[in-house]
Amino acid sequence: MTKPLNSKLEEQYPELYAQVGEIVSKWGASRDNLIAVLLDVQSKSERNYLSKEAMLAVSEIMGIIVQDVYEVATFYHAISTKPRGRFLVQLCQGTSCTVNKVVNVKDALEAELGIKIGNSTPDELFTFEYTPCFGACDVSPAMRLNGKVVGNLTPETIKQIIGECREAAKNE
Ligand code: FES
């Protein structure tokens, strides 16, 4: 690890810096592990995204220039540099899901959430977006909910799943 001495960032954001440090230690500071590190840092963020400070900390701790970190973060579909909802709903738009009428699921999600795909709900509880195929074609149409695969979706199951998320948020 190439953490500089007396990092200003570490002084300003000690918790974030320590968390990123732990993640880099786990994966190793090699550039080959940058995507894994960024995904891991993102997964620890309450809003499912990589903040500017988190990217700076990754850059500093891994010894990779910040432009390179930013480029990877903005290129890679699974990483967001904008805050997302507490629940990240990623609907597959791959061939198998399309053939199995994912459009009906999309319509049901838009109706249930009251937003169009590509947006977040005003209460910041849900972000709804498309994702490429993630290999769950045998249970298509499928989505990932905070990274967990949920398949064989129908408009009815959508109602139930979103209801459970709202309930879970109320009880937090
Ligand atoms: S096509 Fe949707 S998971 Fe593969």
Side-chain angles (χ1 to χ4, degrees):
M1 214 182 294
T2 54
K3 179 169 102 58
L5 292 172
N6 304 320
S7 161
K8 275 216 172 82
L9 198 65
E10 185 174 14
E11 278 171 27
Q12 279 178 300
Y13 305 97
E15 273 177 36
L16 173 70
Y17 208 90
Q19 189 177 58
V20 172
E22 267 175 40
I23 290 170
V24 173
S25 295
K26 182 175 102 185
W27 289 100
S30 154
R31 180 178 281 263
D32 292 347
N33 299 328
L34 181 56
I35 291 175
V37 167
L38 292 178
L39 283 170
D40 211 345
V41 172
Q42 173 177 266
S43 75
K44 303 281 189 295
S45 146
E46 267 182 29
R47 298 288 309 278
N48 276 312
Y49 85 117
L50 275 183
S51 66
K52 190 177 82 190
E53 294 75 25
M55 286 188 273
L56 286 169
V58 169
S59 158
E60 231 176 69
I61 295 170
M62 292 186 82
I64 297 173
I65 60 169
V66 73
Q67 286 87 343
D68 287 359
V69 173
Y70 184 76
E71 224 168 77
V72 171
T74 48
F75 177 78
Y76 197 57
H77 189 269
I79 297 172
S80 175
T81 55
K82 290 193 195 124
R84 296 189 284 192
R86 155 87 179 71
F87 296 101
L88 178 59
V89 178
Q90 295 175 299
L91 189 62
C92 176
Q93 57 177 167
T95 308
S96 181
C97 287
T98 304
V99 168
N100 284 307
K101 302 214 168 23
V102 77
V103 68
N104 293 342
V105 178
K106 175 188 143 290
D107 290 347
L109 276 162
E110 286 184 338
E112 194 57 36
L113 298 173
I115 52 169
K116 291 285 177 202
I117 195 157
N119 291 289
S120 297
T121 53
D123 61 4
E124 298 176 344
L125 206 50
F126 295 92
T127 294
F128 178 30
E129 60 187 32
Y130 272 132
T131 185
C133 170
F134 43 80
C137 317
D138 54 326
V139 291
S140 61
M143 68 181 189
R144 278 189 303 208
L145 178 61
N146 285 355
K148 191 173 154 233
V149 173
V150 191
N152 298 315
L153 296 168
T154 64
E156 291 70 37
T157 55
I158 287 302
K159 225 176 172 25
Q160 187 192 335
I161 292 163
I162 297 303
E164 283 170 8
C165 291
R166 290 199 171 110
E167 208 48 48
K170 259 194 242 161
N171 297 327
E172 274 175 359

PDB file of all heavy atoms in Angstrom, residues 92-98 133-137 140 142, ligand 1:
ATOM      1  N   CYS A  92     -32.956  -6.415 -15.776  1.00  0.00           N
ATOM      2  CA  CYS A  92     -32.156  -6.928 -16.895  1.00  0.00           C
ATOM      3  C   CYS A  92     -32.796  -6.576 -18.229  1.00  0.00           C
ATOM      4  O   CYS A  92     -34.001  -6.701 -18.400  1.00  0.00           O
ATOM      5  CB  CYS A  92     -32.007  -8.436 -16.768  1.00  0.00           C
ATOM      6  SG  CYS A  92     -31.137  -9.134 -18.174  1.00  0.00           S
ATOM      7  N   GLN A  93     -31.972  -6.164 -19.162  1.00  0.00           N
ATOM      8  CA  GLN A  93     -32.483  -5.907 -20.507  1.00  0.00           C
ATOM      9  C   GLN A  93     -31.810  -6.841 -21.528  1.00  0.00           C
ATOM     10  O   GLN A  93     -31.692  -6.513 -22.700  1.00  0.00           O
ATOM     11  CB  GLN A  93     -32.340  -4.431 -20.892  1.00  0.00           C
ATOM     12  CG  GLN A  93     -30.948  -3.884 -20.839  1.00  0.00           C
ATOM     13  CD  GLN A  93     -30.868  -2.440 -21.305  1.00  0.00           C
ATOM     14  OE1 GLN A  93     -29.870  -1.791 -21.093  1.00  0.00           O
ATOM     15  NE2 GLN A  93     -31.886  -1.911 -21.921  1.00  0.00           N
ATOM     16  N   GLY A  94     -31.370  -7.997 -21.043  1.00  0.00           N
ATOM     17  CA  GLY A  94     -30.756  -8.984 -21.940  1.00  0.00           C
ATOM     18  C   GLY A  94     -31.806  -9.696 -22.789  1.00  0.00           C
ATOM     19  O   GLY A  94     -33.016  -9.527 -22.596  1.00  0.00           O
ATOM     20  N   THR A  95     -31.324 -10.512 -23.706  1.00  0.00           N
ATOM     21  CA  THR A  95     -32.213 -11.147 -24.696  1.00  0.00           C
ATOM     22  C   THR A  95     -33.258 -12.049 -24.046  1.00  0.00           C
ATOM     23  O   THR A  95     -34.453 -11.951 -24.346  1.00  0.00           O
ATOM     24  CB  THR A  95     -31.374 -11.990 -25.684  1.00  0.00           C
ATOM     25  OG1 THR A  95     -30.349 -11.138 -26.178  1.00  0.00           O
ATOM     26  CG2 THR A  95     -32.203 -12.519 -26.825  1.00  0.00           C
ATOM     27  N   SER A  96     -32.808 -12.926 -23.133  1.00  0.00           N
ATOM     28  CA  SER A  96     -33.739 -13.881 -22.548  1.00  0.00           C
ATOM     29  C   SER A  96     -34.834 -13.150 -21.760  1.00  0.00           C
ATOM     30  O   SER A  96     -36.020 -13.511 -21.845  1.00  0.00           O
ATOM     31  CB  SER A  96     -32.951 -14.841 -21.655  1.00  0.00           C
ATOM     32  OG  SER A  96     -33.794 -15.771 -21.097  1.00  0.00           O
ATOM     33  N   CYS A  97     -34.447 -12.144 -21.018  1.00  0.00           N
ATOM     34  CA  CYS A  97     -35.441 -11.373 -20.247  1.00  0.00           C
ATOM     35  C   CYS A  97     -36.384 -10.630 -21.187  1.00  0.00           C
ATOM     36  O   CYS A  97     -37.592 -10.549 -20.936  1.00  0.00           O
ATOM     37  CB  CYS A  97     -34.746 -10.403 -19.290  1.00  0.00           C
ATOM     38  SG  CYS A  97     -33.989 -11.259 -17.886  1.00  0.00           S
ATOM     39  N   THR A  98     -35.840 -10.113 -22.275  1.00  0.00           N
ATOM     40  CA  THR A  98     -36.682  -9.400 -23.241  1.00  0.00           C
ATOM     41  C   THR A  98     -37.708 -10.354 -23.851  1.00  0.00           C
ATOM     42  O   THR A  98     -38.899 -10.033 -23.926  1.00  0.00           O
ATOM     43  CB  THR A  98     -35.808  -8.765 -24.354  1.00  0.00           C
ATOM     44  OG1 THR A  98     -34.845  -7.924 -23.720  1.00  0.00           O
ATOM     45  CG2 THR A  98     -36.633  -7.961 -25.331  1.00  0.00           C
ATOM     46  N   CYS A 133     -27.375  -8.268 -19.103  1.00  0.00           N
ATOM     47  CA  CYS A 133     -27.565  -9.622 -18.569  1.00  0.00           C
ATOM     48  C   CYS A 133     -26.536  -9.921 -17.481  1.00  0.00           C
ATOM     49  O   CYS A 133     -25.361  -9.627 -17.632  1.00  0.00           O
ATOM     50  CB  CYS A 133     -27.417 -10.632 -19.707  1.00  0.00           C
ATOM     51  SG  CYS A 133     -27.359 -12.344 -19.126  1.00  0.00           S
ATOM     52  N   PHE A 134     -27.002 -10.484 -16.362  1.00  0.00           N
ATOM     53  CA  PHE A 134     -26.077 -10.840 -15.277  1.00  0.00           C
ATOM     54  C   PHE A 134     -26.085 -12.345 -15.029  1.00  0.00           C
ATOM     55  O   PHE A 134     -25.747 -12.827 -13.954  1.00  0.00           O
ATOM     56  CB  PHE A 134     -26.386 -10.052 -13.999  1.00  0.00           C
ATOM     57  CG  PHE A 134     -27.854  -9.947 -13.671  1.00  0.00           C
ATOM     58  CD1 PHE A 134     -28.516 -10.989 -13.053  1.00  0.00           C
ATOM     59  CD2 PHE A 134     -28.560  -8.805 -14.013  1.00  0.00           C
ATOM     60  CE1 PHE A 134     -29.873 -10.900 -12.771  1.00  0.00           C
ATOM     61  CE2 PHE A 134     -29.921  -8.700 -13.743  1.00  0.00           C
ATOM     62  CZ  PHE A 134     -30.575  -9.765 -13.118  1.00  0.00           C
ATOM     63  N   GLY A 135     -26.526 -13.098 -16.039  1.00  0.00           N
ATOM     64  CA  GLY A 135     -26.371 -14.551 -16.004  1.00  0.00           C
ATOM     65  C   GLY A 135     -27.474 -15.308 -15.291  1.00  0.00           C
ATOM     66  O   GLY A 135     -27.306 -16.477 -14.972  1.00  0.00           O
ATOM     67  N   ALA A 136     -28.611 -14.655 -15.047  1.00  0.00           N
ATOM     68  CA  ALA A 136     -29.719 -15.357 -14.393  1.00  0.00           C
ATOM     69  C   ALA A 136     -30.808 -15.660 -15.419  1.00  0.00           C
ATOM     70  O   ALA A 136     -32.001 -15.659 -15.098  1.00  0.00           O
ATOM     71  CB  ALA A 136     -30.272 -14.518 -13.250  1.00  0.00           C
ATOM     72  N   CYS A 137     -30.411 -15.949 -16.655  1.00  0.00           N
ATOM     73  CA  CYS A 137     -31.364 -16.117 -17.763  1.00  0.00           C
ATOM     74  C   CYS A 137     -32.344 -17.259 -17.500  1.00  0.00           C
ATOM     75  O   CYS A 137     -33.472 -17.228 -17.999  1.00  0.00           O
ATOM     76  CB  CYS A 137     -30.615 -16.372 -19.059  1.00  0.00           C
ATOM     77  SG  CYS A 137     -29.190 -15.307 -19.267  1.00  0.00           S
ATOM     78  N   SER A 140     -35.403 -15.810 -15.984  1.00  0.00           N
ATOM     79  CA  SER A 140     -35.837 -14.545 -16.576  1.00  0.00           C
ATOM     80  C   SER A 140     -37.371 -14.482 -16.682  1.00  0.00           C
ATOM     81  O   SER A 140     -37.997 -15.547 -16.796  1.00  0.00           O
ATOM     82  CB  SER A 140     -35.215 -14.382 -17.960  1.00  0.00           C
ATOM     83  OG  SER A 140     -35.639 -15.423 -18.813  1.00  0.00           O
ATOM     84  N   ALA A 142     -35.629 -11.168 -14.919  1.00  0.00           N
ATOM     85  CA  ALA A 142     -34.968 -11.070 -13.613  1.00  0.00           C
ATOM     86  C   ALA A 142     -34.472  -9.650 -13.357  1.00  0.00           C
ATOM     87  O   ALA A 142     -34.279  -8.857 -14.285  1.00  0.00           O
ATOM     88  CB  ALA A 142     -33.802 -12.047 -13.560  1.00  0.00           C
TER      89      ALA A 142
HETATM   90  S1  FES B   1     -31.018 -12.092 -20.161  1.00  0.00           S
HETATM   91 FE1  FES B   1     -31.693 -11.370 -18.233  1.00  0.00          FE
HETATM   92  S2  FES B   1     -30.431 -12.375 -16.806  1.00  0.00           S
HETATM   93 FE2  FES B   1     -29.674 -13.009 -18.745  1.00  0.00          FE
END
